[in-house]
Structures are given as structure tokens and as C-alpha cells.
Amino acid sequence: MTAAMMKTLFLNPPSFDGFDGGAGSRYQAKREIRSFWYPTWLAQPAALVPRSRLVDAPARGLSLDDVRPLARDYELAILHTSTPSFAADVRVAEALKAENPGLVIGLVGAHVTVSPEASVAASEAIDFVAREEFDFTIREIAEGRPLAEVDGITRKVAGRVVHNPDRAILHDMDSLPFVTEVYKRDLVAEDYFIGYLLHPYMSLYTGRGCKSRCTFCLWPQTIGGHSYRTRSPGHVIAEIAQAKRWFPEVKEFFFDDDTFTDDRPRAEAIARGLGRLGVTWSCNAKANVPFETLKVMRDNGLRLLLVGYESGNQQILHNIKKGMRIEVARRFTEDCHKLGITIHGTFIIGLPGETRETIEETIRFANEIDPHTIQVSLVAPYPGTFLYDQAVENGWLVNGGHDLVQGEGFQIASFSYPHLSQEEMFEALATFYKRFYFRPRKIADITMEMLRSWTMTKRRLREGVEFMHFLNARELPS
Ligand code: SF4
């Protein structure tokens, strides 16, 4: 079987300088500070295809000229794409095909799941796109199975676009091999930075899907679905135990499941296993985890939670179906402060119902609950989400929603409301950051953090320079 496998390249294509559009990134954009998520969605099928190679061009700083020659060494290339980077990714596919006309090229990711016909028709260079979860789809293609017999792809036959039947959703999550084995083979842990995680960190999934139905959220509405399909605690612990031995330099493991705390007994079981291993770890959480569960996690190595608060206005949380009450989020945050769990809180400007007053309310809320660090995004109407359809129906999209990022790759506001313009939302983003970070209390916090560690001092100074560049460099497209 192995001998018959096609030689396969998994490529996170080169893009804007510093653009985190990769296969692990939820919101593809250049960040305020240099950030890269691991390309976990590409690493997973790569783990299923022996002799394959995963190349993460943005994180490695590789240009198109660097990756183009690779085309000659492979028979199959799988490129991850996203809505903001699609046009650039197609150009990469064309360059690879020009280098090796025999190379079979497929695109994967949420964008092609939502628009399979347009995606496969975008260029002669693209042979197929793989919709939804594509792990076993790609393995079957690499095994040499005729494209006509592979579920979950859309392909071209004599100039016509043909949809193969959908691929059945994966339930046996323990059947997925460890992605960290591909990280070891092909990636360099030091390439991956996330401002609020220790460096070097390592991220992976312990399950897919999210029970919540937030209207803006891309992954559960396109690939992951709304039931939380999980690996068994033993499978997760075995991977971390091996990764701990293999990557002694890694200071923190991050579980990037949409909402790791959705299944609390399981989260606690995994936490206890991690505690026995003595690793430091972090995860995504909804702001409704009870004190007892937080305590179990904290007592077993949990350092940080990444929490999507989105807004400080209750009506907006209702509008986006967040399923979250402000007072519960407030109590949860107090509990985390009491337990010494660090929080990176994320907020969005421009969600349906946003006004100048609700932006002010959210800035005040963020300052009051005081997460250690924050990320503020502009509302991003990704095709395939409820929010996108709602925006089309209501005429909120600027330029048809085509501009999710501007020339440098920074995110821009794609919405405009009669009472709140695109420019106002754009300006509010910088105001939010300034009012959160330029408070005496926050400056004192960050100074203390720097005084405790020279590594942290160097890192925060570099991030500070990048952050000021971000505040100065953003401009709306004319
Ligand atoms: S809880 Fe988080 S991951 Fe789940 S749908 Fe909402 S935003 Fe997405």
C-alpha cells in the first residue's frame, strides 16, 4: 500500500508577508503582532499519507520562488486556501502546474467547501477541491483511487464541474494519527508564535465541532459541524506524552478545539492526565465554565484560556446566538482571576446591532473584566455563515464583502450600517486597543511581566513595535 502512494506535498501557500492564513487559523489576516498557528488541518491528512511532506510557507518565510521548484518532486499537491487568500493561492497553484504539468493539484479548506464549483473552475491548474473534512479524502486520492470514486470532492470532467457524493462525517476521532508526528518530521516549533502563548508553543485538536451556533463563526458552520466529536482522553494523553519527549523545547500545549470545555467531564479527565505528565497547557473556552471545573484544570497545569466574549452588550450576544449571558461571563472571569488563570479575551466590532454606544459599552466591559490580553477583530462575513447570508439580505456588505483584508493583509471592516460606517468601525478598533492597553494598570501589569523575564522583555518590546506599526499602517481601500 505504502509503495503505491503518490508522492504528496501539503502546502500552506506563500501569501502576504506575515499573513496567518494557514490551515489552523480561524480568522485569516495579518495580526497586530507577528502570529502563526500550526497548519493542523493540513498536518492531519499528511499524517495519513506516508512519504508526504508538509511545507508551511508563511511561517517559514518562503516565497513563491522558494516553493515553485518543489512541484517537480511531487505527484500530488494539496493547497490549503481561505477566502481572503484565495486569489493568491490560485496563482501559486498555477505556478506549480507550470513547473510540473503532471502534478495533480487539489485545494482544501472552508472556502472550497462553501464555493466548490467556483473554486474548481477558478483555474485550469486546479484538478479538484475537497469539501468538508478532507483527511481520508486526500488519503484515498494519494492511494491512487480514481477521482470518480472518491467521496467529498468536486472536480472537472471534460470542462464540466462534477460533484462527487458527500463524504460521511468522521466519528471515530481516535482513527486519526497524531499530527505532532508530522510537526516533528516537517515543521520547526520556533516558527510558531502567538502573542499570548509561551514560546515555543504547540497546538493541536482533541476534537472537532462546537455545540454553539454563533452566527459569525466559520468552522462549525462549514467543516466541523455542531456536535463535539472527540478523541478519547487516553489518545490525547498518549500524544502529549510522546510530544513532551520529542519537543523538550515546547513550553506550552494549546488545545485548539472550538470549545474544549464543551464536555466538562472529559475536559477534567484530560486535565488530570496532563497534570500527571506535568505539562503546561491552554485551551479555548466559553465564558460559562463553572468554578469547580476551572479549579480541576488549573490544578493540573492549565495556564491560559482563550475566551470569545465578542461583545459587552447582551442584545448583540442574542443577535449572534452566542448563548451567553453577560453576568455569567463576568462571574466566570472573576473565578479565573481568583484561580490565577490567565485570560486572552477576544472581541468583535460591527456585529449586528452594533452602534457607537454598544462599542463604548464593550470597551468599558473589557476594561472592567480585565483579561490579561485582548484581540479585537472587525466583523468578518465569511461565505458559508449565517451572518454572511444575513448581511447579503440586509445590504450591509461593502463592495460585496470581497475585501476581508487590505493590501498589507490586515483585516478591514466589510460591513457598513446606515447608523455606523465602515470608517467608524475601522477607527473603533484602534481606539479599543488604545483604551485597553494604554491604561496605567495594564502598563504596570505588562511592565511587571517584563521585569520577571528578559525573554519576555525582548518579546514584548518587539510586539510593541509591531503593534504601533499596526496602528499606523492600516488604511481603508479607496
Ligand atoms: S462558541 Fe466559539 S467556536 Fe463555538 S460557534 Fe461560538 S464562536 Fe464558534
Side-chain angles (χ1 to χ4, degrees):
M1 170 85 69
T2 299
M5 283 265 181
M6 294 170 82
K7 224 177 154 213
T8 306
L9 172 69
F10 292 88
L11 178 65
N12 200 16
S15 191
F16 307 100
D17 177 37
F19 184 78
D20 187 14
S25 173
R26 275 150 211 278
Y27 293 94
Q28 296 88 4
K30 182 169 175 169
R31 314 279 172 213
E32 307 81 71
I33 52 174
R34 186 176 172 81
S35 301
F36 287 110
W37 286 105
Y38 281 74
T40 319
W41 282 96
L42 275 181
Q44 192 63 79
L48 288 161
V49 179
R51 294 199 306 144
S52 63
R53 180 176 168 197
L54 169 58
V55 173
D56 189 355
R60 274 273 84 191
L62 301 178
S63 67
L64 178 55
D65 284 342
D66 294 323
V67 300
R68 193 196 321 261
L70 291 174
R72 286 182 237 132
D73 301 334
Y74 292 89
E75 300 160 288
L76 172 65
I78 304 301
L79 276 60
H80 187 273
T81 190
S82 67
T83 299
S85 64
F86 184 74
D89 299 336
V90 169
R91 287 195 291 275
V92 174
E94 288 170 343
L96 298 180
K97 195 72 139 195
E99 196 73 20
N100 175 5
L103 184 69
V104 177
I105 298 182
L107 300 186
V108 295
H111 181 86
V112 304
T113 293
V114 175
S115 312
E117 297 93 350
S119 299
V120 81
S123 169
E124 282 299 309
I126 303 165
D127 295 289
F128 67 91
V129 302
R131 313 184 305 267
E132 300 113 18
E133 280 179 310
F134 48 82
D135 318 275
F136 289 93
T137 305
I138 302 304
R139 187 173 78 173
E140 287 174 13
I141 293 169
E143 283 170 353
R145 191 176 290 200
L147 292 185
E149 296 171 16
V150 178
D151 284 353
I153 63 169
T154 299
R155 61 201 166 96
K156 287 195 283 266
V157 178
R160 267 187 328 111
V161 173
V162 174
H163 285 292
N164 288 15
D166 288 345
R167 174 156 294 268
I169 197 158
L170 183 64
H171 286 289
D172 179 9
M173 299 299 283
D174 283 358
S175 66
L176 292 169
F178 297 165
V179 288
T180 46
E181 299 189 350
V182 173
Y183 295 174
K184 182 169 190 323
R185 189 188 69 188
D186 294 336
L187 305 181
V188 178
E190 282 79 3
D191 284 351
Y192 296 89
F193 283 93
I194 293 293
Y196 46 88
L197 297 181
L198 303 178
H199 181 76
Y201 80 100
M202 188 158 280
S203 62
L204 62 152
Y205 299 109
T206 77
R208 291 177 179 169
C210 181
K211 290 197 283 193
S212 300
R213 293 181 178 267
C214 306
T215 60
F216 61 87
C217 186
L218 180 66
W219 296 100
Q221 294 182 71
T222 51
I223 293 190
H226 291 292
S227 71
Y228 185 31
R229 294 166 290 131
T230 54
R231 296 165 55 192
S232 62
H235 197 250
V236 176
I237 302 302
E239 178 163 22
I240 300 298
Q242 176 174 277
K244 185 186 172 210
R245 285 196 306 279
W246 280 358
F247 303 97
E249 72 276 27
V250 164
K251 296 201 173 71
E252 172 164 36
F253 290 94
F254 184 81
F255 300 117
D256 201 15
D257 305 35
D258 290 325
T259 311
F260 180 77
T261 50
D262 256 3
D263 181 344
R264 285 177 204 144
R266 175 179 173 276
E268 291 181 17
I270 292 176
R272 291 194 173 93
L274 296 171
R276 285 192 290 277
L277 292 177
V279 295
T280 299
W281 58 282
S282 301
C283 65
N284 292 315
K286 205 163 167 180
N288 61 359
V289 186
F291 184 87
E292 303 70 43
T293 301
L294 289 172
K295 184 163 184 316
V296 171
M297 298 200 300
R298 192 281 314 263
D299 289 347
N300 287 285
L302 173 73
R303 186 187 72 83
L304 172 143
L305 293 176
L306 172 49
V307 181
Y309 293 99
E310 327 307 357
S311 175
N313 176 272
Q314 187 64 60
Q315 187 56 49
I316 291 181
L317 295 185
H318 288 321
N319 294 349
I320 60 169
K321 304 194 172 103
K322 184 76 193 171
M324 171 60 56
R325 296 208 64 83
I326 294 281
E327 62 271 20
V328 173
R330 203 175 255 127
R331 193 182 58 230
F332 158 88
T333 310
E334 279 167 18
D335 288 346
C336 288
H337 288 328
K338 272 187 221 146
L339 288 164
I341 298 169
T342 302
I343 295 181
H344 178 72
T346 62
F347 297 87
I348 301 176
I349 289 176
L351 291 166
E354 192 82 284
T355 62
R356 284 179 209 119
E357 291 72 30
T358 60
I359 292 174
E360 176 62 28
E361 204 178 332
T362 301
I363 294 175
R364 284 173 193 249
F365 176 68
N367 286 353
E368 177 212 320
I369 61 170
D370 199 29
H372 183 56
T373 47
I374 59 167
Q375 180 176 315
V376 188
S377 305
L378 294 164
V379 62
Y382 279 92
T385 61
F386 180 93
L387 177 68
Y388 181 85
D389 295 342
Q390 190 183 22
V392 170
E393 214 169 278
N394 289 282
W396 295 333
L397 294 177
V398 176
N399 188 21
H402 292 303
D403 298 324
L404 287 172
V405 295
Q406 43 94 305
E408 280 207 37
F410 287 126
Q411 204 198 357
I412 57 172
S414 309
F415 274 17
S416 181
Y417 299 111
H419 57 280
L420 187 67
S421 68
Q422 184 189 29
E423 290 79 9
E424 283 174 292
M425 287 187 245
F426 194 68
E427 285 312 313
L429 182 86
T431 305
F432 198 143
Y433 274 123
K434 285 181 194 160
R435 283 183 49 195
F436 184 83
Y437 279 113
F438 297 171
R439 290 175 296 152
R441 174 174 169 187
K442 193 48 73 184
I443 291 170
D445 266 7
I446 289 174
T447 308
M448 284 306 293
E449 190 182 47
M450 288 163 65
L451 287 175
R452 282 195 294 269
S453 149
W454 172 235
T455 308
M456 190 54 90
T457 302
K458 285 188 292 185
R459 182 170 168 187
R460 290 289 183 234
L461 289 175
R462 175 180 62 75
E463 290 171 354
V465 170
E466 290 177 16
F467 183 60
M468 295 314 290
H469 171 72
F470 161 76
L471 289 179
N472 293 326
R474 300 161 333 112
E475 56 179 34
L476 282 170
S478 48

